[in-house]
Amino acid sequence: MEKRPQLDILLCAPRGFCAGVDRAIQIVELALEKYGAPVYVRHAIVHNKYVVDGLRGKGAVFVEELSEIPETDAPVVFSAHGVPKSVPADARSRNMFFLDATCPLVSKVHVEAQRHFAEGHEIVLIGHKGHPEVVGTMGQLPPGAITLVETVADAMVFEPKDPETLAFVTQTTLSVDDTREIVTALRQRFPAINGPHKEDICYATTNRQEAIKAVAPEVDAMIVVGSPNSSNSLRLVEVAERAGCKNAMLVDRAAEIDWSRFEGIRSLGVSAGASAPEKLVDEVIDAFAQRYDIKVEARVTAKENIAFNIPRELRTIEAAVAR
């Protein structure tokens, strides 16, 4: 039998599900258990195809807008990315029973934006146009109250109404380094700008990027497990490339691996975006084990023990499931 080549796999930790994603998925699963199918979900609960397909198989019905939902007593869940204020208002006007799975760290950004607005600040949101989290954050305030800035170039041409009454917030899943550059540009132009008390980019995004930075310079190639519509997963690939691993790719499932990109490698880094389940990481490692004689080493750069409460309506069922 032909001898398989050796491959050292450095497994990034932390990786995969964050507390906000875990909570959002739990909300849908517990709602299905308590109320039965269907449970309607506005937008993909998290940006991962495997997770969404799995919940769909259990009876979740995914829609993009509430107008797609027939008159029903079934629960409606808002995704982890958050929604504009108009969405719960619309749900109430239609007497819908809704459960909000918005990540508490996204809700924190909403509260910050509202506080700045109440204090008379003009607000800059650093983020990616069209991302549901950005749509949700901008939708907390009247049109025109928030200006979106995506790049340093945007920051350099932005002209506020009054540089002395300016504040910024950020999307939670951005590149830490890119955001720092944009914030630096804004602060240089507008020294009086108000920022968040604590970084808006969430702990999970930061930790996963730091883990990639530690591993990427040491490996010949890097795989990030995650879906192409996942902002935090896409950022991990960019971070790997910048940290010195030019052969970095995003894969949803092991079946998508382009094996031609991995010919002759001797070391591989593996991570996963905050919405990718560990089962898919195992699947990728198993795929490499079929072609290589692998040795796996975990590279731990931080410990995470954060958990968020689920909505009150579901806590009794959660306790029963735990027993």
Side-chain angles (χ1 to χ4, degrees):
M1 189 172 116
E2 189 183 340
K3 193 174 186 305
R4 291 185 301 181
Q6 283 278 140
L7 181 67
D8 293 330
I9 295 179
L10 290 184
L11 192 54
C12 295
R15 66 181 174 278
F17 278 2
C18 62
V21 163
D22 198 40
R23 172 181 179 270
I25 294 167
Q26 268 193 72
I27 287 171
V28 178
E29 289 179 336
L30 292 171
L32 283 163
E33 199 156 329
K34 182 170 183 177
Y35 304 107
V39 166
Y40 291 93
V41 186
R42 185 189 179 277
H43 192 67
I45 187 69
V46 298
H47 282 162
N48 185 270
K49 185 178 184 302
Y50 177 84
V51 169
V52 168
D53 288 348
L55 293 172
R56 189 180 282 118
K58 294 176 182 178
V61 177
F62 291 89
V63 299
E64 284 304 309
E65 298 298 342
L66 298 186
S67 57
E68 298 170 48
I69 301 172
E71 198 169 312
T72 181
D73 294 330
V76 179
V77 181
F78 301 153
S79 82
H81 312 97
V83 294
K85 272 191 170 174
S86 58
V87 172
D90 183 22
R92 286 188 198 99
S93 74
R94 293 179 58 188
N95 294 317
M96 288 177 161
F97 167 47
F98 63 87
L99 298 162
D100 191 354
T102 301
C103 172
L105 298 179
V106 173
S107 297
K108 178 175 82 73
V109 177
H110 292 179
V111 170
E112 280 173 4
Q114 289 162 346
R115 176 176 58 80
H116 284 307
F117 184 70
E119 292 171 357
H121 291 126
E122 183 181 353
I123 301 161
V124 170
L125 169 60
I126 301 170
H128 295 298
K129 186 178 182 180
H131 189 279
E133 184 185 327
V134 164
V135 173
T137 299
M138 294 185 80
Q140 299 306 302
L141 298 174
I146 299 178
T147 301
L148 182 65
V149 165
E150 296 190 81
T151 63
V152 170
D154 290 347
M156 296 309 290
V157 297
F158 167 65
E159 292 298 340
K161 296 180 187 75
D162 180 357
E164 299 303 310
T165 59
L166 201 55
F168 75 87
V169 294
T170 85
Q171 186 179 331
T172 62
T173 54
L174 300 175
S175 156
V176 174
D177 295 334
D178 284 350
T179 305
R180 189 181 297 120
E181 288 175 14
I182 295 169
V183 170
T184 298
L186 287 170
R187 287 197 189 282
Q188 283 172 348
R189 291 192 66 211
F190 314 111
I193 194 168
N194 284 272
H197 296 307
K198 191 173 181 297
E199 187 60 73
D200 282 338
I201 296 176
C202 81
Y203 77 95
T205 297
T206 303
N207 287 348
R208 278 148 193 72
Q209 289 181 20
E210 289 302 316
I212 291 263
K213 286 179 187 176
V215 167
E218 297 182 34
V219 294
D220 299 327
M222 191 102 204
I223 279 189
V224 174
V225 181
S227 291
N229 60 339
S230 164
S231 173
N232 77 86
S233 301
L234 291 166
R235 301 295 80 77
L236 292 180
V237 176
E238 293 170 1
V239 168
E241 290 169 345
R242 286 186 191 174
C245 182
K246 297 306 177 196
N247 187 8
M249 71 181 294
L250 181 72
V251 298
D252 223 338
R253 303 287 301 263
E256 293 179 6
I257 296 171
D258 176 1
W259 292 103
S260 68
R261 298 251 317 248
F262 300 98
E263 285 174 12
I265 65 165
R266 303 186 60 160
S267 56
L268 175 74
V270 176
S271 185
S275 45
E278 189 64 11
K279 179 177 172 29
L280 302 189
V281 176
D282 294 340
E283 186 182 278
V284 165
I285 292 172
D286 289 346
F288 276 91
Q290 288 168 23
R291 292 163 173 80
Y292 296 86
D293 188 1
I294 67 168
K295 184 179 82 179
V296 180
E297 176 194 335
R299 184 63 60 84
V300 182
T301 53
K303 298 277 190 188
E304 293 179 351
N305 54 8
I306 292 173
F308 296 130
N309 289 332
I310 60 163
R312 194 169 50 251
E313 298 92 332
L314 298 174
R315 284 182 201 160
T316 50
I317 187 88
E318 181 193 33
V321 169
R323 284 201 296 273

